[in-house]
Amino acid sequence: MSLLFQKYKIIFPAQFKVFHYRRAALLIVSALLITLSFSVVSIAQDEEQPEAVLIFNKGQDAHEKGDLQTALKFYDEAIKLAPEFPEVEFQRGNVLLTLGKSDEAERAFRRAIELREDWTLPMASLGSLLIQKNNFAEAETVLNKAIELDVQNFPAFVALTELRLKQKASPIVLKELLTKLQNLTAKANPTASIWAARGAIESALNDKIAAKKSLTNALAIEPKNSFALTTRTEISLAEGDFDRAINEAKMLLQISPKSTGAKILLARAYAESGNRTEALKILDAINATDSNVSALRNSITATNSAGVADLEKQLEKDQKNAAILGRLCILLRTENPSRALDYCRRASEVEPNNVNHAVGFGAALVQAKQFENATIIFRKILQIAPDNFTAHANLATALFQLKRYAEAKTEYQWLTEKQPNLVIAYYFLAIAHDNLGEYFDSMANYQQFLKIADATENKLEIEKVNLRLPILQKQLKKVKSKK
């Protein structure tokens, strides 16, 4: 078992392979529109209703501070004074949407468009909201009009991406949209959302290399971009890079702690990594009647019922069935690592170009404490898939267990660079530095670990670090006095 994560894989029905793009994109579109609206709407003035404008600006101030109820109160007051004030209707719609009052928000957006027929910001908001309500036909009409009026309407293009993914559009349609998104990202100052939309379409077209580059650009601009993180997590799951997928899903949940979609994605990541107990624990804690929750739970339960004996009987009829071999590798890895190794090896031999089988074989070697062999396997895997997070995590574990601290240090540094919030990696990186006599670096990483560690989840490690620090302080003083 990796000291970072367990590494197993479960195959689930296709409906679980697509996280709520709609939800993620809707959040991005809404946030982008609100940001734009504060800069665009604030310049509007109504000379005949100066009091309404004053109240509207108070509403915007409260809106920007996140005081939505106060903002809504001011917007309602402004509407009473000036019933034909499109800017107020638009901002009021944004507040209502954030508060989950979608029907009222829809009426507000429609009223804003009615009062100003060529205003594309409320069109993009309305289009995205209509997608949420599965009114695809009208959403497409509204979004196409918004883009026709403004060919650089980023929110409308993000919403249109959301629509195409929801419709499971044909490759021809997706490629046409991708061309437009590529043109937008080629222009000055593309937003994170446009890069994320481009990455999502590239991923849907199975161009994972291009998708990763686009998503990296999106996250460089906005590290907490939900749309980009969602797509990146989906790619990690598709590639069997479960450590990365779990960490990315956790980041999504930190951004939106109440998001059912983010919780489902994290549960999926745990389940596909083999940690069904944690997956079910997350699903059981969701207070929502979401069909996806019950469907995923049923799928995990069904997977549990597919026992080793049944699979081995099936394997007797088809000795080279890679799917069955891989599944047996997963099921036996915890309870019988040595037995699992044989199935993992055979799966890898049947499909030598399948990185997932190779990673599974290497992870089984780690679990069986055959660290030297695991190191050889993961070195080879990283020559083919240099960015596979799971491979790096397992290699780091194997090297650490072999007390090859200099090499392990390199791997843990890679992990912390790629995932700066990966708490446990700082812990092992600090220990590696410590064992190498690199006390200043060791102290820095122990402190970073303590800074971001969870008091409950990392209780044991925190206690060990607190015991070590006084001794380390004395060693640092000795080093300083010698200098």
Side-chain angles (χ1 to χ4, degrees):
M1 183 191 300
S2 167
L3 294 176
L4 291 175
F5 297 100
Q6 292 183 2
K7 295 160 187 71
Y8 309 121
K9 184 178 180 182
I10 300 174
I11 305 299
F12 288 105
Q15 64 263 34
F16 300 117
K17 298 302 179 186
V18 179
F19 170 59
H20 296 257
Y21 279 114
R22 169 183 58 72
R23 176 63 178 161
L26 176 64
L27 292 171
I28 290 296
V29 170
S30 301
L32 180 57
L33 285 166
I34 290 170
T35 302
L36 289 170
S37 64
F38 286 132
S39 59
V40 175
V41 174
S42 60
I43 65 173
Q45 300 293 327
D46 188 334
E47 295 178 359
E48 296 179 2
Q49 294 288 350
E51 187 177 351
V53 173
L54 181 63
I55 293 172
F56 168 58
N57 287 334
K58 287 182 179 179
Q60 287 212 111
D61 290 340
H63 197 164
E64 280 192 280
K65 292 174 183 176
D67 188 352
L68 301 181
Q69 294 296 345
T70 300
L72 187 59
K73 174 178 170 290
F74 282 127
Y75 291 152
D76 286 342
E77 289 179 12
I79 286 291
K80 289 179 182 177
L81 292 172
E84 297 187 353
F85 201 155
E87 292 86 353
V88 180
E89 292 286 6
F90 175 53
Q91 292 291 60
R92 184 170 170 274
N94 284 326
V95 170
L96 289 166
L97 186 61
T98 305
L99 292 172
K101 300 179 179 181
S102 59
D103 290 339
E104 294 178 58
E106 180 181 343
R107 287 193 289 271
F109 293 142
R110 289 188 186 279
R111 177 60 175 161
I113 297 168
E114 178 186 334
L115 294 170
R116 185 180 297 174
E117 295 182 356
D118 62 348
W119 196 13
T120 60
L121 286 179
M123 288 181 193
S125 286
L126 177 60
S128 187
L129 183 53
L130 290 171
I131 296 168
Q132 182 186 11
K133 294 185 171 187
N134 293 322
N135 188 347
F136 298 157
E138 187 181 5
E140 182 154 8
T141 300
V142 171
L143 293 173
N144 283 335
K145 183 177 179 181
I147 291 169
E148 183 181 338
L149 290 169
D150 180 5
V151 294
Q152 294 191 54
N153 189 319
F154 288 177
F157 272 107
V158 173
L160 187 60
T161 299
E162 168 191 4
L163 177 62
R164 296 298 181 232
L165 292 171
K166 187 75 174 177
Q167 291 173 318
K168 293 182 173 58
S170 68
I172 294 174
V173 173
L174 293 180
K175 287 177 182 177
E176 181 182 343
L177 176 56
L178 177 59
T179 299
K180 294 176 182 178
L181 293 171
Q182 288 171 332
N183 290 335
L184 288 174
T185 54
K187 296 181 183 298
N189 301 319
T191 64
S193 301
I194 283 296
W195 275 116
R198 174 176 168 173
I201 296 297
E202 288 167 336
S203 180
L205 290 168
N206 291 316
D207 189 350
K208 304 301 183 186
I209 294 175
K212 288 178 187 177
K213 290 180 181 177
S214 295
L215 296 171
T216 297
N217 289 332
L219 294 170
I221 298 169
E222 186 184 336
K224 294 184 178 182
N225 186 287
S226 298
F227 200 2
L229 278 171
T230 298
T231 308
R232 190 65 188 81
T233 307
E234 291 287 354
I235 292 174
S236 296
L237 285 174
E239 294 181 340
D241 199 349
F242 302 125
D243 287 356
R244 186 193 292 271
I246 289 170
N247 201 42
E248 289 165 342
K250 284 183 176 179
M251 290 174 65
L252 270 171
L253 201 53
Q254 288 175 358
I255 296 167
S256 304
K258 296 181 180 180
S259 170
T260 299
K263 291 175 183 178
I264 291 173
L265 186 59
L266 180 57
R268 255 191 63 207
Y270 273 122
E272 294 197 31
S273 74
N275 193 340
R276 296 182 291 274
T277 301
E278 190 64 29
L280 290 171
K281 181 179 173 183
I282 293 169
L283 294 176
D284 291 341
I286 296 176
N287 296 319
T289 55
D290 190 314
S291 60
N292 289 304
V293 174
S294 57
L296 181 54
R297 183 185 288 108
N298 292 339
S299 182
I300 294 172
T301 304
T303 302
N304 283 339
S305 66
V308 172
D310 291 336
L311 290 170
E312 287 183 326
K313 284 182 181 179
Q314 295 177 41
L315 191 62
E316 289 176 4
K317 300 174 184 178
D318 186 0
Q319 292 288 322
K320 294 188 177 182
N321 188 311
I324 296 176
L325 288 166
R327 182 77 186 110
L328 285 166
C329 166
I330 293 164
L331 289 174
L332 290 166
R333 202 174 298 162
T334 302
E335 60 188 66
N336 195 333
S338 59
R339 193 171 160 204
L341 266 177
D342 180 57
Y343 290 120
C344 296
R345 176 186 54 76
R346 287 166 62 185
S348 186
E349 288 174 352
V350 172
E351 293 183 346
N353 295 323
N354 188 323
V355 174
N356 291 341
H357 290 322
V359 171
F361 183 34
L365 287 168
V366 171
Q367 193 125 6
K369 298 183 180 181
Q370 296 187 28
F371 301 120
E372 193 68 54
N373 290 334
T375 298
I376 295 170
I377 291 292
F378 284 116
R379 292 287 191 204
K380 291 179 179 178
I381 290 171
L382 290 172
Q383 289 177 1
I384 301 168
D387 292 326
N388 189 294
F389 195 89
T390 302
H392 280 284
N394 274 280
L395 178 57
T397 297
L399 291 168
F400 187 91
Q401 291 298 317
L402 290 168
K403 302 187 186 308
R404 290 160 59 174
Y405 296 116
E407 294 171 80
K409 177 182 72 173
T410 300
E411 293 304 318
Y412 286 120
Q413 286 173 334
W414 186 94
L415 293 169
T416 56
E417 286 171 5
K418 297 298 180 181
Q419 299 288 354
N421 64 338
L422 188 58
V423 178
I424 202 66
Y426 289 102
Y427 175 73
F428 287 112
L429 178 56
I431 295 174
H433 280 298
D434 209 342
N435 278 280
L436 291 168
E438 298 167 353
Y439 300 131
F440 288 101
D441 289 329
S442 178
M443 176 63 78
N445 282 284
Y446 278 134
Q447 290 174 339
Q448 180 62 18
F449 164 75
L450 291 174
K451 181 180 178 181
I452 63 177
D454 182 271
T456 302
E457 186 176 344
N458 305 114
K459 184 176 182 294
L460 180 60
E461 292 85 1
I462 291 172
E463 290 174 355
K464 290 181 178 179
V465 171
N466 286 332
L467 287 172
R468 172 61 182 153
L469 287 183
I471 301 171
L472 185 58
Q473 288 282 12
K474 292 179 182 178
Q475 290 174 312
L476 283 171
K477 287 180 181 179
K478 289 181 180 179
V479 172
K480 287 179 181 178
S481 63
K482 287 181 181 179
K483 288 184 177 180

